[in-house]
Amino acid sequence: MRKRRWPVRLGASLVVVAGSLAALRLQAGVDAGPKNVVPAPAACSVSPVGAGEEVTPQLGTWWKTVDRLDPTGTLVGRQVFVGRNGAAAAVADLAAESAVSGPVGGVVVATSDDGSQSEIRLLSVRDACSWVAYQTESVVRSAILDPKGGTLLLHLLDRTTRADRGIWKLSGAAGPDADPVLVAPSLGATDATGGTAAAIAAIGIVWSTELRLDARGSKLAVQSCGDGGCLIRVVELRNGSAEPLVVGGPAQGDLLGFAGDELVTWSRCPGLPCSVVSWNLLTGGGRILVDETRSAGLTGDGRRLVAVVASDPGSRALEVDPATGAGRPLAGFPPGVGPLPGGRAASSGLEVAADEIVIGSPARDPRAFRPGAPAEVVS
């Protein structure tokens, strides 16, 4: 699903692949065994999210995908297991072309395309049920849930041409026949002149698109990546008339998230270790937060970046303040683990508090980690 045309940063990807081999070991004692043990979700009688209602966090809820292969090794579908703490609640079948995000308020968003129709389902971990939130003849490439208002934000493609149709929104409570509203047009249809037009042209053909919300749910970052780098459009969700801010260029890599009035991304590089960069939304300028990084994660509130950096010998963990770039050794960080990737690179998700990140390794279960222990400041 995630197509990349420049050399991929393999470090984070290796964590994901290896993690899938230890399928479903999400918490100590998780029982997410064969499908005849974990039930399929029932049909929800009502949507698990309310229209215009802020969702209540359900920390410890999780999802994990497992690929289904035919005898030749070809991907023919996926299963997504959902659960909380030490138990799996349900397992749902997805098509090979699918994507999963969340959990948000204990709700997992699963998109699946059968070749003629795309469907978005909301999987409630608490009630072990599934709600069909949207069906369309277009291709839903991915979708995320806004915790502030129960709104779904989705990325659509034209089924025939695979052309980008832009980013749309709809209520998670509306049902399969809802009419979504356009939030951001496709990159090619964006009204751009001067430097913005040049920046759009520079990235070339777009191979991947990522969506991220800020902590207040008022800004949406839409990152488009191609052979020539990445570009982020920041959409004001509460002011539809405002022109999106555009930041990016050849140096920009995968998006990590919002940090106040800045965006944090990887730099574009052929492999790990790599730099992590902060981009100012007002000036468009970028500054390096930390070099030689092997894995990194940003807390949901954007106040702390956790980076595992290369050192001699081995590696060490740092806590970095995105606002100032000041870093310090991270006391109490477990050895042999690192922050896990989110977005379309993820094969699992865990709901954590706004001041936490998700960490893990091929040999250990993903779990929450809260940075912030006192330590000596370093340059």
Side-chain angles (χ1 to χ4, degrees):
M1 289 293 296
R2 183 177 178 85
K3 188 177 290 186
R4 304 294 299 274
R5 297 297 288 257
W6 64 79
V8 177
R9 292 182 296 99
L10 290 176
S13 300
L14 289 175
V15 171
V16 174
V17 173
S20 67
L21 298 178
L24 307 170
R25 293 185 60 253
L26 281 168
Q27 301 288 339
V30 163
D31 179 13
K35 190 178 177 182
N36 62 350
V37 175
V38 181
C44 298
S45 58
V46 296
S47 173
V49 298
E53 297 179 2
E54 185 169 349
V55 302
T56 302
Q58 295 186 28
L59 306 184
T61 54
W62 52 263
W63 62 267
K64 178 77 175 183
T65 55
V66 178
D67 292 347
R68 294 190 292 112
L69 308 176
D70 68 11
T72 68
T74 301
L75 178 68
V76 295
R78 292 186 173 90
Q79 290 181 313
V80 56
F81 291 79
V82 300
R84 188 172 188 179
N85 297 325
V91 56
D93 290 326
L94 304 177
E97 186 165 5
S98 56
V100 184
S101 69
V104 175
V107 175
V108 175
V109 180
T111 71
S112 188
D113 188 272
D114 64 6
S116 60
Q117 178 178 263
S118 274
E119 180 177 86
I120 301 177
R121 282 184 279 171
L122 303 183
L123 304 175
S124 169
V125 176
R126 182 189 63 190
D127 299 323
C129 69
S130 173
W131 170 262
V132 179
Y134 185 54
Q135 291 175 329
T136 177
E137 293 182 358
S138 297
V139 176
V140 180
R141 196 66 186 274
S142 63
I144 61 173
L145 180 63
D146 177 2
K148 299 300 181 182
T151 300
L152 282 166
L153 296 152
L154 46 145
H155 177 212
L156 296 182
L157 303 180
D158 181 270
R159 181 166 298 279
T160 302
T161 66
R162 307 295 288 192
D164 190 347
R165 291 195 54 218
I167 311 302
W168 301 70
K169 69 177 180 179
L170 57 85
S171 169
D177 298 324
D179 291 324
V181 176
L182 184 66
V183 171
S186 66
L187 196 61
T190 299
D191 184 13
T193 58
T196 299
I200 292 174
I203 68 173
I205 297 174
V206 174
W207 299 112
S208 68
T209 301
E210 287 281 356
L211 306 179
R212 289 287 195 283
L213 283 163
D214 72 344
R216 297 185 297 274
S218 61
K219 291 183 174 66
L220 172 69
V222 181
Q223 185 185 53
S224 304
C225 291
D227 292 336
C230 297
L231 179 147
I232 299 173
R233 290 172 291 163
V234 181
V235 179
E236 292 283 351
L237 295 176
R238 298 171 187 170
N239 183 4
S241 63
E243 286 295 320
L245 297 169
V246 178
V247 293
Q252 188 182 102
D254 291 354
L255 177 62
L256 288 171
F258 280 90
D261 291 328
E262 300 197 339
L263 282 162
V264 179
T265 76
W266 287 93
S267 64
R268 180 173 179 251
C269 55
L272 294 174
C274 193
S275 299
V276 175
V277 182
S278 182
W279 301 85
N280 188 284
L281 298 183
L282 298 179
T283 68
R287 58 188 173 90
I288 293 176
L289 291 176
V290 58
D291 271 322
E292 297 293 307
T293 307
R294 293 180 173 175
S295 61
L298 186 68
T299 57
D301 59 15
R303 295 180 178 177
R304 291 187 174 92
L305 173 75
V306 174
V308 176
V309 300
S311 62
D312 188 17
S315 60
R316 60 194 177 104
L318 295 178
E319 176 192 340
V320 180
D321 180 355
T324 65
R328 61 183 183 180
L330 190 51
F333 194 79
V337 302
L340 294 184
R344 295 180 60 81
S347 61
S348 65
L350 179 67
E351 187 163 4
V352 299
D355 60 350
E356 295 178 326
I357 63 166
V358 181
I359 63 172
S361 76
R364 300 188 184 187
D365 301 332
R367 60 193 187 276
F369 177 81
R370 177 176 287 111
E376 178 184 359
V377 175
V378 298
S379 59

